[in-house]
Amino acid sequence: MEVPLSRYQSLVLDQIHGSSGSFSRHRYLFSGYCFSFTRREWRSPFSQIRCSSAMEQGLKPRPKLQRLQIDISERKETVLEETQIRKPSSGIGNQIEKLVLYKRYREALELFEILELEGGYEVSSSTYDALVSACVGLKSIRGVKRVFNLMTRNGFEPDLYLRNRVLLMHLRCGMMIDARKLFEEMPEKNLVSWNMMVAGHVDSGEFLEAFRLFLMMWQEFSEGGSRIFATMIRASAGLGLIFAGRQVHSCALKMGVGQDIFVSCALIDMYSKCGDIEDAQFVFDELPEKSTVGWNTIIAGYALHGYSEEALSLYYEMRESGVKMDHFTFSILVRICTRLASFEHAKQAHAGLVRHGFGSDIVANTALVDFYSKWGRIEDAQHVFDKIPCKNLISWNALIAGYGNHGRGDEAIELFEKMLKEGLIPNHVTFLAVLSACSYSGLSERGWEIFESMSKDHKIKPRAMHYACMIELLGRDGLLDEAYALLRAAPFKPTANMWAALLTACRIHENLELGKLAAEKLYGMEPEKLSNYIVLLNIYNSSGKLKEAAGVVQTLRRKGLRMLPVCTWIDVKKRAHFFYSGDKTHSETKQIYLKVDDLMAEIVKHGFTPQQKTLLPDVDENEERILLYHSEKLAIAYGMISTPDGTSLQIVQSHRVCSDCHSAIKLMALITGREIVLRDGSRFHRFKDGSCSCGDYW
């Protein structure tokens, strides 16, 4: 794609001509500001912001220097008195500085207690600087308060460098209110002060406030380095405002930092997150030297938008270019493989991770736990998890969800309880994983205990997704009235997921009236979502309500919604093979159909009875005519003739698997001794030894 550089240079901050212009016009967030590259005059949309407006902006004007009339003899007496009171702390201070130099921060703060408790020590700037590093290294809020209190108590007057360091200490530890107060009271601010304050607001998610401060900084200094532009591009991405990002991009180009690596990588990330992958690619192509971070960012951008194959292709380009890969590269690659169901590529990524020395990296290994869990290798997932030296909450969540998906709810709960004993604090994702595990395994009593403990013991308010799990749990037990009552009792308006969980339960248990109500609610929330109509169509068909079923079909035609054919694919020898129901386009069609016939004949001997009247949840009704050769059966047959006996198969399907195929695949797994993993439009299925991890509820 050819996009001229001039497209960005024409997107000026304010049609910059010489001295002034407007930063943005009409639809732009920043309309009203006047920019120039000398000294700025401002018209602010933020309540007429001015640097002198201390009460409104929280920024006090720089104090005027005044001559102090101090009696010399009085000053001499004061100095003499201080000299007599203060004790030198050079010995303790030197030890603190050495401990910080070797990153022994905790010991440094322990030694600092002597200065605190005994008092009267004269602490030098270098010691305070070391203590700031210790607090930042530990992210210790208590340490920050202790160091700052000693500074205040001793009447220490830091220079601008140390004031900036103290400000950084508060920002890095998330103490935004105290940081703002310090910033306001600084008698002098330089670019470093402003840059840190703007970055602190971006890091804490306060993107609009970051823009306000950036504009005020620009008024005072009329300049900025690459770091501040990279920070403001991050703020644009956080707000999801691509036009703001483009204006910052334009300004960066005019300031000569447009091709700086920090700015470029931030731009790639911003354009990707704002949905413009083409501009992200353009910025990447213009990089004078493509670094590891640059490659990682563009690959992640493609993966974010579902362009998994393109992302994988870029990974191979990166590898061929000779650029060094890091743990983020392998983490992204594993996530791409998870989406593509590419087991071979994932194994290569795992091997590369170990080979490049990242075998114990928490980010990449958590991605591997997630991959193995989602593709039927829960034992491998457990093995990777056990080797992570310092597990975080995300690692635990991934493994708990993995056990739940495999229908091993008891082990998921056991893992959850072990996590609590180790002192980790669960979040809403943790509870979603463990409640889903209870739902998939039908553990009603334990599910209710955990659901109630969310607010009672952990002070976490259940969200809609947690209620959906509980509705599904009740629905699995056939308690549809109780499920409906829980939906109505939720402290918020029921969401589409909650109604969908109820509708699924009605389909399984053939509750016509309640199913109709749930479907009608979903029509209003998701009028264009085909599967909602098809589930109701299933209910009508299975209940013999042919007239009502015909009415649903008419509604679909009137809305222009077309039931699409199922597509199923399987990855064999690093190549994806796609199948449709009744498909005869594959080069090995004859062998595939013979294998299907053999499998069907064999499973009939084990009691399989083809369902004469079945309808896929969200596919073309003509599929009924080719029930024997549904796409999932063709994909499984191809996998079996193309791989050695006993090899597990990983299959992906675009729609929900039909009940006939579900029953057939269970027996196919039994008679062949294979494990068959299927991810359909509904959930994960692991077929092994004649049973499925979903418990026949999907």
Side-chain angles (χ1 to χ4, degrees):
M1 181 191 69
E2 294 183 3
V3 183
L5 186 63
S6 59
R7 81 173 274 177
Y8 295 107
Q9 292 177 326
S10 63
L11 286 166
V12 292
L13 284 167
D14 48 71
Q15 299 296 337
I16 301 169
H17 296 297
S19 63
S20 67
S22 60
F23 183 50
S24 52
R25 300 183 189 278
H26 306 299
R27 67 188 180 89
Y28 290 163
L29 173 68
F30 312 106
S31 60
Y33 281 93
C34 296
F35 274 72
S36 72
F37 285 89
T38 54
R39 185 60 63 185
R40 271 60 175 170
E41 293 182 0
W42 299 81
R43 299 191 304 277
S44 167
F46 298 100
S47 304
Q48 298 299 315
I49 297 171
R50 295 185 182 85
C51 281
S52 60
S53 179
M55 294 300 291
E56 291 182 14
Q57 303 309 316
L59 292 169
K60 295 184 178 180
R62 188 179 300 173
K64 295 179 180 178
L65 296 174
Q66 296 179 350
R67 292 184 178 275
L68 298 178
Q69 301 298 324
I70 301 175
D71 188 90
I72 295 175
S73 60
E74 181 183 330
R75 177 62 183 158
K76 284 181 179 178
E77 289 174 10
T78 305
V79 170
L80 182 61
E81 186 180 357
E82 287 182 357
T83 305
Q84 290 171 346
I85 293 173
R86 299 287 178 202
K87 293 179 284 186
S89 66
S90 56
I92 298 173
N94 288 340
Q95 288 181 58
I96 289 172
E97 290 169 30
K98 286 179 182 177
L99 287 169
V100 170
L101 183 65
Y102 289 101
K103 298 188 177 180
R104 294 162 64 178
Y105 302 132
R106 205 169 298 280
E107 294 171 65
L109 287 180
E110 287 172 1
L111 192 59
F112 171 61
E113 286 184 22
I114 297 174
L115 301 179
E116 282 184 294
L117 297 175
E118 294 189 13
Y121 282 100
E122 185 177 350
V123 184
S124 67
S125 293
S126 59
T127 302
Y128 278 125
D129 193 15
L131 288 168
V132 166
S133 296
C135 293
V136 171
L138 294 172
K139 286 187 166 49
S140 170
I141 293 175
R142 182 172 175 270
V144 172
K145 290 180 178 179
R146 286 168 56 199
V147 172
F148 188 68
N149 285 342
L150 185 68
M151 273 188 177
T152 307
R153 194 166 66 243
N154 284 354
F156 180 76
E157 283 295 328
D159 58 13
L160 181 57
Y161 165 78
L162 199 54
R163 285 185 189 277
N164 283 336
R165 292 279 291 156
V166 172
L167 178 63
L168 175 70
M169 174 175 72
H170 284 79
L171 290 169
R172 288 284 176 86
C173 294
M175 302 168 67
M176 292 303 297
I177 295 173
D178 291 336
R180 287 190 193 102
K181 187 171 183 294
L182 277 172
F183 184 73
E184 291 164 7
E185 294 175 351
M186 287 178 73
E188 182 185 357
K189 304 179 185 74
N190 60 8
L191 272 172
V192 175
S193 318
W194 284 95
N195 286 352
M196 285 194 302
M197 201 62 190
V198 172
H201 281 86
V202 173
D203 291 338
S204 62
E206 299 176 33
F207 305 118
L208 278 175
E209 181 66 13
F211 263 110
R212 185 183 73 84
L213 286 170
F214 168 68
L215 293 168
M216 294 180 70
M217 183 200 80
W218 196 273
Q219 178 190 28
E220 184 166 343
F221 290 99
S222 309
E223 60 180 298
S226 60
R227 295 299 179 100
I228 190 66
F229 285 113
T231 300
M232 296 320 300
I233 292 163
R234 283 173 52 211
S236 304
L239 291 169
L241 296 175
I242 194 169
F243 65 84
R246 282 195 173 120
Q247 290 180 80
V248 178
H249 187 179
S250 173
C251 188
L253 286 169
K254 289 185 175 294
M255 294 295 290
V257 295
Q259 290 192 324
D260 176 87
I261 187 63
F262 295 104
V263 173
S264 295
C265 290
L267 284 167
I268 295 167
D269 181 64
M270 183 272 296
Y271 284 125
S272 299
K273 287 178 178 175
C274 292
D276 195 338
I277 195 66
E278 291 182 347
D279 277 356
Q281 181 68 58
F282 172 76
V283 175
F284 177 75
D285 291 340
E286 291 295 308
L287 278 172
E289 183 179 347
K290 295 174 174 59
S291 65
T292 301
V293 177
W295 279 104
N296 287 349
T297 309
I298 190 65
I299 292 169
Y302 274 96
L304 176 69
H305 290 283
Y307 301 122
S308 301
E309 292 181 356
E310 290 84 350
L312 191 60
S313 176
L314 279 168
Y315 161 74
Y316 284 119
E317 282 185 40
M318 177 185 182
R319 192 175 69 178
E320 289 170 9
S321 71
V323 174
K324 184 180 179 181
M325 299 181 187
D326 63 9
H327 58 293
F328 288 111
T329 312
F330 293 107
S331 175
I332 297 164
L333 178 60
V334 172
R335 296 191 187 284
I336 293 167
C337 294
T338 303
R339 187 173 296 172
L340 289 173
S342 179
F343 195 74
E344 289 301 316
H345 285 116
K347 286 198 295 185
Q348 284 187 359
H350 192 172
L353 193 71
V354 175
R355 190 168 59 251
H356 285 79
F358 304 117
S360 54
D361 177 74
I362 190 166
V363 176
N365 278 287
T366 298
L368 281 169
V369 170
D370 183 58
F371 173 82
Y372 286 129
S373 297
K374 286 178 176 175
W375 290 107
R377 299 297 186 97
I378 192 64
E379 291 78 14
D380 289 339
Q382 180 71 63
H383 179 71
V384 172
F385 178 83
D386 291 339
K387 286 189 172 295
I388 299 175
C390 187
K391 303 168 184 67
N392 62 12
L393 187 61
I394 301 172
S395 313
W396 285 94
N397 289 350
L399 191 60
I400 291 169
Y403 275 107
N405 286 334
H406 283 74
R408 294 163 68 170
D410 288 322
E411 289 160 277
I413 293 171
E414 184 181 331
L415 198 62
F416 170 68
E417 291 173 344
K418 183 179 177 183
M419 184 197 83
L420 294 178
K421 287 178 182 176
E422 293 198 9
L424 277 84
I425 300 172
N427 61 9
H428 65 278
V429 178
T430 314
F431 282 105
L432 177 62
V434 73
L435 289 174
S436 296
C438 293
S439 173
Y440 294 165
S441 301
L443 303 174
S444 301
E445 188 175 335
R446 291 294 286 121
W448 278 106
E449 288 175 7
I450 293 168
F451 181 73
E452 289 170 357
S453 75
M454 284 183 69
S455 51
K456 182 181 176 183
D457 301 329
H458 301 281
K459 311 304 178 189
I460 297 175
K461 290 184 179 179
R463 303 184 184 184
M465 51 187 152
H466 304 114
Y467 273 88
C469 285
M470 300 313 295
I471 291 166
E472 184 174 307
L473 189 61
L474 291 167
R476 184 181 284 267
D477 291 339
L479 303 173
L480 299 186
D481 290 335
E482 289 83 348
Y484 181 47
L486 178 63
L487 181 144
R488 294 183 63 186
F492 41 77
K493 186 178 179 181
T495 63
N497 283 344
M498 293 165 69
W499 284 112
L502 183 62
L503 182 58
T504 299
C506 293
R507 175 177 64 84
I508 297 291
H509 297 287
E510 299 183 0
N511 187 316
L512 182 62
E513 293 305 318
L514 193 55
K516 183 179 178 182
L517 171 65
E520 286 173 350
K521 292 289 185 181
L522 284 167
Y523 294 166
M525 294 178 173
E526 302 171 329
E528 304 303 317
K529 191 169 181 179
L530 180 66
S531 61
N532 296 330
Y533 297 89
I534 305 305
V535 173
L536 183 60
L537 185 59
N538 268 332
I539 295 172
Y540 282 141
N541 273 302
S542 60
S543 304
K545 302 281 186 180
L546 301 182
K547 184 177 179 181
E548 288 82 353
V552 175
V553 174
Q554 288 298 323
T555 301
L556 287 171
R557 288 174 180 166
R558 189 174 64 253
K559 288 180 172 286
L561 297 174
R562 189 169 64 90
M563 292 180 279
L564 301 173
V566 175
C567 178
T568 305
W569 61 96
I570 181 171
D571 194 74
V572 176
K573 297 176 183 176
K574 300 183 185 179
R575 182 184 168 195
H577 297 263
F578 298 84
F579 297 91
Y580 294 91
S581 295
D583 187 6
K584 294 187 178 181
T585 59
H586 197 278
S587 59
E588 299 182 54
T589 294
K590 185 177 179 181
Q591 296 93 319
I592 292 169
Y593 273 69
L594 285 172
K595 185 63 176 178
V596 171
D597 292 340
D598 290 343
L599 288 169
M600 294 305 292
E602 194 64 31
I603 64 174
V604 166
K605 295 176 185 177
H606 285 73
F608 176 73
T609 304
Q611 297 182 20
Q612 297 301 318
K613 189 177 182 181
T614 184
L615 183 67
L616 289 165
D618 49 359
V619 298
D620 195 321
E621 59 199 52
N622 292 327
E623 303 252 356
E624 285 187 278
R625 301 171 193 166
I626 46 177
L627 182 63
L628 184 62
Y629 302 109
H630 275 179
S631 60
E632 48 265 67
K633 291 173 182 169
L634 297 177
I636 289 169
Y638 178 71
M640 288 187 178
I641 65 174
S642 304
T643 58
D645 291 343
T647 305
S648 63
L649 304 178
Q650 285 80 35
I651 297 165
V652 185
Q653 183 167 298
S654 58
H655 297 62
R656 192 194 308 254
V657 63
C658 75
S659 56
D660 182 81
C661 286
H662 192 272
S663 300
I665 297 171
K666 286 196 294 184
L667 290 172
M668 288 177 185
L670 176 67
I671 64 171
T672 60
R674 292 190 187 233
E675 184 179 288
I676 301 171
V677 177
L678 170 67
R679 292 198 68 85
D680 70 358
S682 171
R683 66 179 46 170
F684 166 93
H685 302 266
R686 185 192 192 192
F687 299 94
K688 188 177 181 181
D689 299 330
S691 63
C692 179
S693 60
C694 76
D696 298 336
Y697 189 95
W698 75 100

